[in-house]
Amino acid sequence: MRLLGLFRRVYRVSRWVERRATPAGAVVGATAAAAAGRGLGPRLSLAHVVFGIAFALTAVGFVARGRFRPALEIVRHLPRFVTVGIPIRYTVSVRNASPRAVAGLALEERLRQAYPAPAEFARRRSRATNWFDRAVGYPDWIDWLRRLRAVEVAPGPIPPLEPGQAAEVALELKPVHRGTAVFEGFGVSRSEPLGLWRALRDLDAEQALVVLPRIYPVEWPAFGGSRHYQPGGISLASRVGDSEEFRALRDYRPGDPLRAIHWRSWARTGHPVVKEHQEEYFARHALVLDTAAASADEPFEAAVSVAASFTVAERGADALLDLLFVGAEPHCVTVGRGVGTTDAALQLLAAVRPAPPESFARLAEAVTAHAGAIASAILVLQRWDDDRARLAAALAGLGIGVRVYVAAERVPESVAPALPHGARWVLPESVREALACP
Amino acid sequence: MPVKPPPLLLGLALAFWGASAGALALGIALGIAVELLLVAKLRRAFDTADFNRACDLAAALSIGAIAYFVATLGIAQGLLRAVEWLPVTVLPALLAQIVSAAGRLRMRNLFYSLRRSALPEADRPIDLAFPYFALALLSASIATTAHRDFVPAAVALLAYALWAARPRTRPLWAWATLAAVAVALGIGLSMGLVRLQLALEDLAVEWLFAPKPDIFRATTRIGDVGRVKLSDAIVWRVQGERPAGRPLLLFEAAYGSFDGATWRARSEGFQALPAPVDGQTWQLGDPAGVLARLQISGYTDAGRAILALPAGSRSITNIAPAAVAMNALGSVRIADAPPFVRFHVAYAPGALQQTAPDDADFRVPRVLAPLFADVAAGLAPSAGATDPEEAVARVRRFFAGFRYSLWLGDRAGGKDLRDFLTVSRAGHCEYFATATALLLRSMGVPARYAVGYSVQEWSGLDGQFVVRRSHAHAWAQAYVGGAWVDVDTTPAIWVEAEAEQASWLRPLYDRLSWLWYRYNAWRAAGEEGFGMWLLGGAVLVCAWLYWRLFRRPRTRAGAEANRTSRRAARESAYFQVEDALAQAGYPRGPGETPRGWLARLAADGCPYLDDAVHSLVAAHYELEYRPGADRPALLARTRALAEQWRAARASPGRS
């Protein structure tokens, strides 16, 4: 893992240079390096002159950055969450708190950079297209860092500000990966007079932003399943609070339970009155996300996107959705009919991480225990094997409509055991198509 | 938005490059072309494939230039010259950027390794204008050494570029001051670098590098030949007849005086030969008589070499421009020659042309004199002068009883020669040659020590003799009957003994050596032709790429692949219905799925929806997305449903 340490150092140095050198500065620096690389044989060429001037420009520009202490008050206005693939613009209020006017400043976001765990990085599926990059892994590493940052924010110029004046700076944010982006603060920069380097000052302003998984249009499958009687109605369906949902009051009939008596009405009317509970029948669906994967690679992300897409899909007015997955332990989140919000479920999906292979057994157990209440189940699986086939068959055997989505890098040549009818492969590059398929 | 480079910057840079590289007209022409394209409104919608093609053209031209210049100038000079011409060879990439609507290239266009990459870095935009300007400046600096012309112009251009790229929010005086300081510092730095480098070079020559080995062989020690025998490298190739009955010896150098360990040549050194009258033939001696001819080819050491020539060489012909010099002992050397030489030699076999013997050719070192006097006495019992021919014959007979040994000890001197002559009676050619020369001298016959090569190995691959380092040989020369003759007393068995020592890698080495030789011979045979071929190839490649870029119909390779799948999907009759509905004012929105579209139309109260449309969409989904679906059957079904829908529309009682 010494290589990862090297990657880290190389990345930090390149970030340091990237934040401080302007494009013109990069060209001048590269020219100096190329002229030096040519060798400085003074008898054969004048490359040493080009080297001398380019090097001197680089050095003078660096020194000319000077002391830079901008007195700015900066406040960021972020939305609560963003969705992968949907760029947004947000504003940052900047106020000049110094007694002098400022101009030519630029604002950039400083995002917290997490680093991949070496073991997880070693299990990666490389996205590089040539053997050298695959073997060394630096492009994969850079790509991973980008995903861990979750968003990309382009720097923006700060308009000239008189003392005490405030302005709004619009920054463009591109969510690139689900998760949580941590904004550590801002970098305020100013070009030195030659335009080769930027003087840079870091200001702290920590804030977090949840990036929801990518969502595709999807239609809820028509399972032709039945609505089930849900004892206790919606209140019990949510599994929170008391079963106090009632439809109406009526006169007491012999045999009514004592606890159904509405005492206040009895007192008012003089004869016993009971509460009549609503007997509710509604469809309840399970969305099962299998998280047993080696790493959070593209197929895993595709699976999470499928789950997120179904979470927000139109299910009919009276349907409930139970999102089941395994994190540290099996989770079941219910969405619909005012019980749980779609946002909450999406935020959970934004944070889902791969779980060890044995987690699927616990997930299957939870789903089976839940099977009595559901009319249909959408299984979003990481692979197709005997265990998963058994779960699908068991659910189908209970009369539950089952739709299987299997995430994969590519469609395998042969599949054993056979996929159930209507199953779909979800490939990272064609999630939309897989979901469009009825 | 693409950023246009400041007016005239690229044009001036190209003209400046042209002036520095000695191609002023070309530089100005290219500069004008670039500036015209920049101001013209002509912009084309290039896609990735077009940019790739332009970059491929630039790469092909650059590689072609490298190949051509390396082939004609050697690696070091060739690479430098190729860098000089980079502004021309990479111009297609810049032109693509200028005439494209996008105005930028992407990383994936520039690097093959990123062409198919899914990583976002591959799509990072690159503006070539300023890097190209820097390249033109750098190439110009490599192309010239005219300091006085270069520096002011380069500084002016650079200042213009920096001025154009300066931050507008900073005061101009600050920019001007810093730029002036930087340029002054830069010029000072470059002058300091020149001085430093010259001083370092002097130091390095003095301290780091040992004096170059004496390739002109003023001396040779016993063991020198033995050392070179360890190598299988092919040094010369010889085409022509070998004299019948004895091996052909190629002579390099002769030595007269021996101090017991080292043979030394005479001190007069080499005399330059007069330039040939016909420009081709260098006369080494009397051209009269029946002469045999050989063609010899090999490599020089930085343009210098001692030629290996047969005894009795009279002239060498067709050697490339070189300074040819010869010494009194018959060695011929060349200087300022190309890396590869091939020449013809005319020689009279057996007739050496060297100066008459002098005192040194009679002298035997004092420590060895008693030993050789004893041996000579054994060969010629009668005192006094012996007939030289008789003496040579006796010496040959004496050594006929010796064995050849591959012992390559490099310690020489009295003890080893004594051992060789009296005890072991075995050694390799240097011992035989030294002992023969000294023995002849002891018998009153002038003798010298000669080194060179023995031509003995025919190569089927080359179709000529090859002379390896391991064929290096030493022999004696005796002055007999008013002429010098070769006296080689080493047993002929030495050839086989050496061959047994050959490395197992020799066949591989021989093939590589042959390829390198063929390449050099081809280059030497027709440099003009090579250049023309290369130029013709480059023109063809350019023409083809130009046609691909500008003249072909606007179908794109990238779009082609998509279109194939789309065309397959368009077979579905669903699209006919979709088109018909679009014409009726119900188009499907971008990104809208067919099913979502139908739902929207139903909600909008579209009058053209019926069961057939819904079934058609279901069949279309199956066709498009269900792996392994029965395509022909589904296609037929979509057609039937579309027909059914159209029939319902055409019927009088339509809804």
Side-chain angles (χ1 to χ4, degrees):
Chain A
M1 287 300 101
R2 222 181 302 160
L3 200 58
L4 290 192
L6 181 68
F7 284 178
R8 216 160 149 154
R9 278 192 290 278
V10 169
Y11 172 75
R12 281 187 178 155
V13 170
S14 65
R15 272 296 291 162
W16 190 93
V17 175
E18 212 173 297
R19 291 184 70 202
R20 284 162 181 83
T22 64
V27 172
V28 172
T31 306
R38 147 71 190 84
L40 301 167
R43 292 194 204 87
L44 300 173
S45 78
L46 295 177
H48 62 285
V49 177
V50 173
F51 167 78
I53 296 177
F55 183 81
L57 280 168
T58 309
V60 168
F62 190 78
V63 174
R65 293 177 314 149
R67 206 162 144 262
F68 178 56
R69 293 185 190 282
L72 299 176
E73 289 166 4
I74 308 180
V75 180
R76 187 190 294 118
H77 309 292
L78 279 179
R80 274 182 61 216
F81 30 72
V82 292
T83 303
V84 172
I86 304 177
I88 61 149
R89 286 172 81 82
Y90 67 96
T91 56
V92 177
S93 306
V94 183
R95 186 177 160 275
N96 180 8
S98 77
R100 286 195 300 183
V102 292
L105 303 187
L107 185 71
E108 65 174 27
E109 289 283 9
R110 282 190 300 124
L111 296 163
R112 177 169 298 159
Q113 181 62 69
Y115 293 94
E120 199 181 352
F121 183 70
R123 288 196 302 268
R124 77 193 183 277
R125 240 178 282 196
S126 179
R127 295 176 72 195
T129 48
N130 65 78
W131 69 267
F132 181 81
D133 286 346
R134 271 197 300 276
V136 176
Y138 189 69
D140 287 329
W141 199 74
I142 289 293
D143 189 43
W144 203 309
L145 296 193
R146 200 177 60 93
R147 287 190 274 150
L148 287 176
R149 286 195 298 272
V151 298
E152 279 175 354
V153 186
I158 300 177
L161 294 174
E162 294 300 322
Q165 191 187 354
E168 300 280 304
V169 177
L171 295 182
E172 190 150 334
L173 181 145
K174 205 164 118 193
V176 293
H177 195 264
R178 67 183 178 86
T180 304
V182 179
F183 294 71
E184 287 188 329
F186 299 100
V188 178
S189 64
R190 183 186 64 182
S191 240
E192 45 80 24
L194 283 175
L196 305 179
W197 291 97
R198 299 184 194 102
L200 189 66
R201 186 83 185 164
D202 285 345
L203 306 172
D204 291 336
E206 193 162 313
Q207 206 171 344
L209 175 67
V210 175
V211 182
L212 304 180
R214 192 184 287 272
I215 292 166
Y216 298 95
V218 62
E219 290 164 37
W220 196 265
F223 287 111
S226 58
R227 301 196 307 168
H228 286 215
Y229 170 60
Q230 307 288 337
I234 192 73
S235 306
L236 276 187
S238 70
R239 293 170 183 238
V240 288
D242 297 321
S243 165
E244 285 302 314
E245 185 109 350
F246 63 85
R247 187 176 58 185
L249 296 172
R250 61 170 169 78
D251 288 348
Y252 174 82
R253 288 196 293 258
D256 279 339
L258 208 60
R259 70 185 178 94
I261 294 174
H262 196 250
W263 299 103
R264 212 178 296 166
S265 300
W266 189 353
R268 196 166 55 237
T269 58
H271 59 267
V273 173
V274 292
K275 295 175 285 187
E276 188 177 45
H277 287 282
Q278 177 154 354
E279 292 185 345
E280 291 192 288
Y281 290 84
F282 49 82
R284 184 170 188 142
H285 309 293
L287 175 55
V288 181
L289 174 62
D290 169 17
T291 51
S295 69
D297 52 15
E298 289 182 304
F300 182 84
E301 294 304 323
V304 175
S305 277
V306 169
S309 304
F310 276 112
T311 305
V312 299
E314 184 63 43
R315 293 179 297 274
D318 62 348
L320 280 177
L321 178 70
D322 292 328
L323 170 62
L324 290 111
F325 65 95
V326 178
E329 57 191 41
H331 292 272
C332 177
V333 185
T334 305
V335 180
R337 294 180 55 125
V339 173
T341 64
T342 306
D343 291 351
L346 287 177
Q347 287 189 50
L348 276 170
L349 285 175
V352 163
R353 302 275 307 138
E358 59 274 16
S359 69
F360 182 75
R362 286 189 290 157
L363 179 69
E365 207 175 292
V367 174
T368 315
H370 201 62
I374 55 175
S376 66
I378 290 174
L379 305 182
V380 186
L381 304 175
Q382 296 294 338
R383 67 175 69 81
W384 184 248
D385 56 13
D386 290 337
D387 290 342
R388 287 158 176 83
R390 253 196 304 278
L391 176 64
L395 293 177
L398 291 171
I400 296 170
V402 177
R403 167 65 62 85
V404 174
Y405 290 89
V406 186
E409 191 83 22
R410 62 186 69 83
V411 177
E413 303 272 320
S414 61
V415 185
L419 282 172
H421 176 72
R424 306 274 181 268
W425 290 102
V426 178
L427 310 184
E429 65 277 8
S430 58
V431 181
R432 181 182 297 276
E433 286 79 359
L435 291 178
C437 197
Chain B
M1 275 296 290
V3 182
K4 272 176 76 169
L8 297 181
L9 180 72
L10 294 178
L12 288 174
L14 271 167
F16 175 61
W17 167 82
S20 301
L24 183 61
L26 178 65
I28 290 176
L30 292 178
I32 290 174
V34 165
E35 289 301 327
L36 285 178
L37 284 172
L38 274 170
V39 295
K41 296 279 179 246
L42 170 76
R43 295 290 179 271
R44 296 184 74 89
F46 279 8
D47 63 14
T48 303
D50 293 325
F51 281 123
N52 286 350
R53 227 167 272 128
C55 292
D56 289 347
L57 174 59
L61 287 175
S62 302
I63 292 169
I66 291 172
Y68 174 70
F69 287 125
V70 166
T72 51
L73 300 171
I75 289 178
Q77 281 297 313
L79 283 178
L80 269 188
R81 187 63 69 81
V83 174
E84 268 178 52
W85 282 81
L86 273 181
V88 175
T89 56
V90 304
L91 192 60
L94 178 74
L95 293 182
Q97 170 177 315
I98 292 174
V99 300
S100 70
R104 296 279 177 93
L105 273 74
R106 299 194 176 271
M107 293 286 272
R108 69 169 71 247
N109 306 130
L110 295 180
F111 298 99
Y112 277 101
S113 60
L114 293 178
R115 286 276 162 93
R116 290 179 296 119
S117 174
L119 299 175
E121 276 66 31
D123 284 317
R124 184 188 287 194
I126 299 278
D127 180 0
L128 284 186
F130 279 97
Y132 184 85
F133 166 78
L135 174 70
L137 211 60
L138 189 64
S139 297
S141 78
I142 290 172
T144 182
T145 52
H147 195 271
R148 195 168 294 178
D149 301 331
F150 177 84
V151 176
V155 167
L157 272 175
L158 196 58
Y160 178 43
L162 285 172
W163 178 81
R166 77 188 191 282
R168 299 295 195 273
T169 51
R170 306 308 299 271
L172 195 57
W173 64 263
W175 174 85
T177 310
L178 286 177
V181 168
V183 167
L185 274 178
I187 292 174
L189 176 65
S190 68
M191 286 163 65
L193 278 174
V194 172
R195 292 188 178 196
L196 180 69
Q197 175 146 356
L198 294 180
L200 278 179
E201 276 178 9
D202 289 347
L203 281 179
V205 168
E206 213 166 294
W207 291 350
L208 301 178
F209 301 108
K212 284 207 90 169
D214 173 25
I215 78 146
F216 289 141
R217 305 249 175 105
T219 64
T220 182
R221 295 178 68 230
I222 288 182
D224 283 358
V225 174
R227 264 198 300 277
V228 301
K229 275 175 175 294
L230 294 171
S231 164
D232 274 342
I234 296 172
V235 284
W236 299 105
R237 286 176 165 79
V238 180
Q239 206 160 32
E241 283 292 308
R242 222 165 37 149
R246 57 198 164 96
L248 172 65
L249 295 176
L250 295 182
F251 165 84
E252 275 194 345
Y255 301 88
S257 62
F258 184 62
D259 64 5
T262 303
W263 283 97
R264 290 178 198 285
R266 293 212 313 219
S267 57
E268 296 96 287
F270 286 85
Q271 301 290 324
L273 292 182
V277 182
D278 61 357
Q280 288 189 326
T281 308
W282 299 81
Q283 291 298 338
L284 306 177
D286 181 8
V290 180
L291 300 179
R293 289 180 189 280
L294 293 176
Q295 178 188 277
I296 300 177
S297 36
Y299 307 98
T300 63
D301 176 5
R304 306 184 308 164
I306 287 277
L307 298 185
L309 300 174
S313 293
R314 300 294 161 82
S315 66
I316 52 178
T317 315
N318 280 344
I319 194 152
V324 182
M326 189 173 173
N327 76 0
L329 301 184
S331 292
V332 176
R333 77 171 192 200
I334 55 171
D336 301 330
F340 174 80
V341 290
R342 182 156 65 174
F343 53 92
H344 293 92
V345 185
Y347 71 104
L352 297 182
Q353 288 198 327
Q354 289 175 22
T355 52
D358 59 15
D359 286 351
D361 298 325
F362 290 94
R363 206 172 296 142
V364 179
R366 199 174 305 143
V367 287
L368 293 172
L371 167 70
F372 280 92
D374 283 352
V375 178
L379 292 180
S382 57
T386 318
D387 173 38
E389 270 187 60
E390 177 61 23
V392 168
R394 284 181 187 179
V395 168
R396 282 187 192 280
R397 275 200 298 277
F398 172 71
F399 284 111
F402 279 54
R403 282 184 304 111
Y404 183 75
S405 154
L406 274 172
W407 177 71
L408 300 177
D410 63 356
R411 289 176 305 117
K415 191 175 170 216
D416 293 322
L417 275 171
R418 186 183 303 276
D419 183 74
F420 169 72
L421 276 176
T422 59
V423 184
S424 68
R425 295 167 69 86
H428 68 272
C429 59
E430 290 172 309
Y431 288 90
F432 282 98
T434 303
T436 302
L438 297 182
L439 196 53
L440 285 168
R441 287 179 181 185
S442 300
M443 295 167 74
V445 180
R448 289 172 179 165
Y449 174 86
V451 295
Y453 293 94
S454 166
V455 180
Q456 49 184 270
E457 183 181 337
W458 174 261
S459 162
L461 193 64
D462 283 87
Q464 56 188 329
F465 290 98
V466 292
V467 179
R468 301 177 189 278
R469 279 198 200 286
S470 59
H471 297 158
H473 193 41
W475 63 93
Q477 294 175 333
Y479 195 66
V480 179
W484 289 95
V485 293
D486 289 335
V487 184
D488 185 5
T489 52
T490 308
I493 186 83
W494 80 268
V495 176
E496 287 85 39
E498 297 289 351
E500 281 171 15
Q501 297 294 309
S503 156
W504 58 273
L505 281 174
R506 186 191 268 194
L508 175 68
Y509 165 76
D510 283 359
R511 268 164 184 75
L512 291 176
S513 167
W514 176 75
L515 282 175
W516 184 237
Y517 165 75
R518 294 298 310 161
Y519 164 70
N520 276 291
W522 170 70
R523 241 184 67 186
E527 282 193 353
E528 292 299 315
F530 175 67
M532 290 310 290
W533 274 108
L534 212 63
L535 195 65
V539 167
L540 280 178
V541 168
C542 292
W544 177 74
L545 282 162
Y546 177 81
W547 178 78
R548 294 276 307 205
L549 265 179
F550 294 104
R551 285 280 174 264
R552 76 208 161 87
R554 304 290 293 170
T555 53
R556 307 255 173 254
E560 201 61 36
N562 287 336
R563 197 161 299 160
T564 316
S565 66
R566 220 175 290 148
R567 197 185 304 131
R570 290 291 295 192
E571 291 171 29
S572 164
Y574 155 79
F575 288 104
Q576 299 167 6
V577 175
E578 186 189 306
D579 291 348
L581 280 171
Q583 284 173 4
Y586 296 99
R588 180 155 71 95
E592 196 171 30
T593 61
R595 210 171 268 256
W597 174 55
L598 286 194
R600 178 169 63 81
L601 295 195
D604 291 353
C606 171
Y608 304 118
L609 300 187
D610 58 11
D611 288 347
V613 178
H614 289 287
S615 306
L616 175 62
V617 169
H620 173 68
Y621 269 72
E622 289 259 309
L623 181 68
E624 193 148 12
Y625 299 119
R626 172 122 168 257
D630 182 1
R631 289 189 64 80
L634 282 169
L635 281 173
R637 183 166 159 68
T638 58
R639 275 195 294 273
L641 286 166
E643 196 49 49
Q644 188 184 333
W645 178 79
R646 269 195 293 267
R649 301 282 78 70
S651 67
R654 71 187 224 181
S655 51

